[in-house]
Amino acid sequence: MMDTVFFYIFALMTLGGAILCITRRNAIHSAIFLIMSLMGVAGLFLLQHAEFLFAVQIVLYIGGIMVLFLFVIMLVNLDEEARHRQFNRQWLLGVASVAVAGGSFTLFLRHQTAWTALPVAGRSAPAGNTELLADVLFRNYLVPFEVASVLLLVAVVGSVIMAKKRI
Amino acid sequence: MTSPYPILAILGILVVVMTLAAGLIWLERRLLALWQDRYGPNRVGPFGLLQVLADMIKIFFKEDWIPPFADKVVFVIAPAIIVGTVLMSFAVLPIAPGIIVSDLNIGLLFILGMSSIGVYSVVLAGWASDNKYSLLGGLRAAAQMLSYEVFMGLALMGVVLLAGSFQLSEIVSAQRRVWFVVPQFAGFILFLIAGVAETRRLPFDLPEAESELIAGFHSEYSGMKFGLFFVGEYLGVILISSLITILFFGGWMGPVLPPIIWFVLKMMFFICFFILLRAALPRPRFDQLMSWGWKVMLPLALANLLITGAVALAWG
């Protein structure tokens, strides 16, 4: 019962925050609502007993990436931009793609055949899913994990090269 | 391990921590005066102890002014964020056996998360004030707290490795034989420096540097909204001191005296150390602060983690 109530609260935070994020005129307000949306996602992780993901969502997305977003928005003078007309002519395309995505999700969830059936969620471990996650990441999927880290490193080096005129 | 009477623990910790934060204002002014050969507040009540009460009455009755050019909603929310997040962090601190609100299995990560949300308080306050000095303060706070949080997290991972858990009560009981300050001395020093930067205390108080930014992010704040920033800063000092005690100095453990007394004694020692830092050190330039962080703190933290990991692996 409580779980259901909390689920709807977090779902409302996620969706409401996302909608307000794209409709606000002020860039800082958009960022604040995006933070609210990410917090809702963190709450949903917590409801699934994924405590580690909850903490990482807060530390990395809310505490790291969004602070950088705010940092950049504050550095750039957006007063001029806020006065411009913000909806461009792509809204028809946007509505069409949302409808297609929504339709295919509904179809996928309603008519489950053998090959689209979602795996049944396993019973969550009593405590410390950090260790389970580490086991999976560093034993079963070590190579993809390392490749992903190298990819991030490439992005870091690339942005440094683009930002610096003279290395 | 969770307290049998959660409501009592919540109320008790809330009241004690808030009182302590108010008392720290007096303690800091008296200690600074002592070290700088002055008197400090000594008129109101015995040893000037009632000075805090007088200040509280004054701050509550001040006009609660919001600048007409400010972004009102954000301006009002910002000071509440810092107090809220720091108080939330106290919920997972094991003060003594049985005195803890909620013994989360990700306690340490929870505190890191809360402190990273706390950054918004300063950043948004600086932006919402719509004042160039405040904006600069907010920008500085964003860069400084974001960077030092990275080193803070990395410095703590050594302790997590040794204890094998993010749960704070387990970290305390893992120190039964030897305090983690001995095997993790580098981690302790790094955490201490990052902690000072995280609470924006001198020598790392660049977001509010009076001599260059007037008061930085809280220039436009008055009355109890300013009071919340003020209390939030002292709450942060108490939190970091408690964390140092729990993570590196055995928490409540000690001979003869009851556990809670040991905890308070160790915590007070580090609070006084924070005040001593303010009395003794000058403020660096902002670029010095950042290059110190990324060029000294980060490599040291990574090396510490690598060596700790290697030793832990070798000894099994």
Side-chain angles (χ1 to χ4, degrees):
Chain A
M1 182 55 209
M2 279 307 275
D3 275 9
T4 320
V5 173
F6 275 117
F7 171 78
Y8 279 111
I9 292 174
F10 290 134
L12 192 72
M13 273 174 74
T14 310
L15 293 178
I19 291 171
L20 285 169
C21 169
I22 55 168
T23 52
R24 293 300 91 189
R25 209 158 256 275
N26 187 321
I28 295 266
H29 290 172
S30 288
I32 293 173
F33 284 117
L34 184 53
I35 293 166
M36 192 175 104
S37 179
L38 290 172
M39 277 187 178
V41 176
L44 291 176
F45 279 142
L46 200 57
L47 279 184
Q48 297 295 315
H49 296 283
E51 290 97 352
F52 184 73
L53 284 183
F54 158 79
V56 167
Q57 170 88 2
I58 287 188
V59 172
L60 284 188
Y61 281 87
I62 299 173
I65 293 171
M66 286 313 295
V67 174
L68 287 178
F69 267 48
L70 278 184
F71 190 77
V72 172
I73 296 172
M74 282 162 72
L75 273 180
V76 182
N77 187 6
L78 288 173
D79 288 350
E80 193 61 37
E81 297 296 316
R83 268 182 241 119
H84 283 239
R85 193 180 146 76
Q86 301 214 323
F87 284 98
N88 48 25
R89 301 286 156 76
Q90 291 172 351
W91 67 271
L92 247 175
L93 189 67
V95 169
S97 42
V98 166
V100 169
S104 51
F105 274 131
T106 320
L107 206 69
F108 180 74
L109 290 176
R110 280 286 168 84
H111 304 279
Q112 290 194 349
T113 55
W115 58 277
T116 60
L118 296 171
V120 179
R123 292 181 63 86
S124 56
N129 51 22
T130 317
E131 282 175 54
L132 293 177
L133 196 70
D135 272 352
V136 173
L137 268 187
F138 290 106
R139 291 222 172 99
N140 302 3
Y141 300 104
L142 181 61
V143 175
F145 180 75
E146 296 293 342
V147 169
S149 336
V150 172
L151 196 66
L152 285 175
L153 186 67
V154 170
V156 171
V157 173
S159 58
V160 168
I161 287 176
M162 274 161 68
K164 279 227 167 197
K165 289 200 182 73
R166 201 166 49 83
I167 303 288
Chain B
M1 262 306 283
T2 311
S3 157
Y5 307 102
I7 301 289
L8 256 175
I10 293 172
L11 274 181
I13 289 178
L14 196 65
V15 169
V16 168
V17 162
M18 289 304 264
T19 318
L20 198 59
L24 272 191
I25 301 172
W26 173 82
L27 181 73
E28 170 150 47
R29 293 180 65 190
R30 288 293 290 198
L31 278 180
L32 283 178
L34 183 75
W35 286 321
Q36 292 166 353
D37 211 7
R38 298 183 280 118
Y39 283 120
N42 63 352
R43 295 286 137 176
V44 194
F47 307 107
L49 261 172
L50 296 180
Q51 181 71 46
V52 175
L53 203 66
D55 284 345
M56 293 274 258
I57 293 172
K58 182 187 136 197
I59 214 166
F60 269 112
F61 283 94
K62 268 196 155 184
E63 185 188 353
D64 190 20
W65 189 69
I66 299 174
F69 44 82
D71 188 311
K72 287 203 177 48
V73 180
V74 182
F75 190 84
V76 173
I77 291 174
I81 296 176
I82 185 92
V83 176
T85 51
V86 177
L87 283 179
M88 291 266 279
S89 305
F90 277 103
V92 296
L93 288 189
I95 311 289
I99 306 184
I100 179 170
V101 177
S102 173
D103 202 7
L104 289 188
N105 61 358
I106 48 155
L108 197 55
L109 284 175
F110 182 79
I111 288 179
L112 285 178
M114 283 301 130
S115 86
S116 63
I117 295 181
V119 179
Y120 286 113
S121 174
V122 182
V123 176
L124 290 178
W127 176 79
S129 300
D130 201 9
N131 167 330
K132 289 194 175 63
Y133 292 113
S134 300
L135 186 67
L136 276 177
L139 280 174
R140 282 185 178 186
Q144 166 182 337
M145 292 171 81
L146 189 74
S147 325
Y148 278 77
E149 220 166 62
V150 176
F151 320 137
M152 188 186 230
L154 278 176
L156 291 183
M157 287 312 131
V159 169
V160 175
L161 241 165
L162 290 184
S165 172
F166 283 118
Q167 199 167 356
L168 287 170
S169 57
E170 278 195 21
I171 293 179
V172 173
S173 21
Q175 299 176 64
R176 199 160 285 135
R177 237 177 285 150
V178 57
W179 289 355
F180 281 158
V181 67
V182 179
Q184 277 295 310
F185 188 72
F188 162 62
I189 297 291
L190 290 169
F191 180 74
L192 187 68
I193 297 173
V196 178
E198 202 57 25
T199 48
R200 308 177 307 285
R201 294 273 304 174
L202 256 161
F204 295 143
D205 71 336
L206 288 136
E208 50 187 296
E210 295 90 347
S211 49
E212 32 185 319
L213 291 186
I214 314 193
F217 64 91
H218 60 59
S219 296
E220 301 288 352
Y221 280 86
S222 65
M224 202 49 216
K225 292 206 193 67
F226 166 74
L228 282 182
F229 279 123
F230 206 58
V231 170
E233 179 183 326
Y234 284 100
L235 286 175
V237 172
I238 301 174
L239 180 69
I240 297 292
S241 304
S242 311
L243 269 181
I244 293 175
T245 306
I246 289 169
L247 296 171
F248 294 101
F249 287 86
W252 64 72
M253 283 190 269
V256 188
L257 294 171
I260 190 151
I261 302 284
W262 271 112
F263 185 87
V264 172
L265 278 180
K266 292 176 191 172
M267 185 186 72
M268 283 312 284
F269 175 81
F270 286 105
I271 290 176
C272 292
F273 183 74
F274 266 70
I275 298 174
L276 178 64
L277 278 184
R278 172 172 176 177
L281 290 178
R283 185 186 290 142
R285 262 190 353 246
F286 193 67
D287 60 319
Q288 290 172 332
L289 175 83
M290 294 308 279
S291 58
W292 164 261
W294 289 102
K295 290 177 186 165
V296 179
M297 297 270 293
L298 182 68
L300 279 181
L302 285 175
N304 178 44
L305 187 58
L306 194 70
I307 294 170
T308 311
V311 171
L313 203 64
W315 283 7

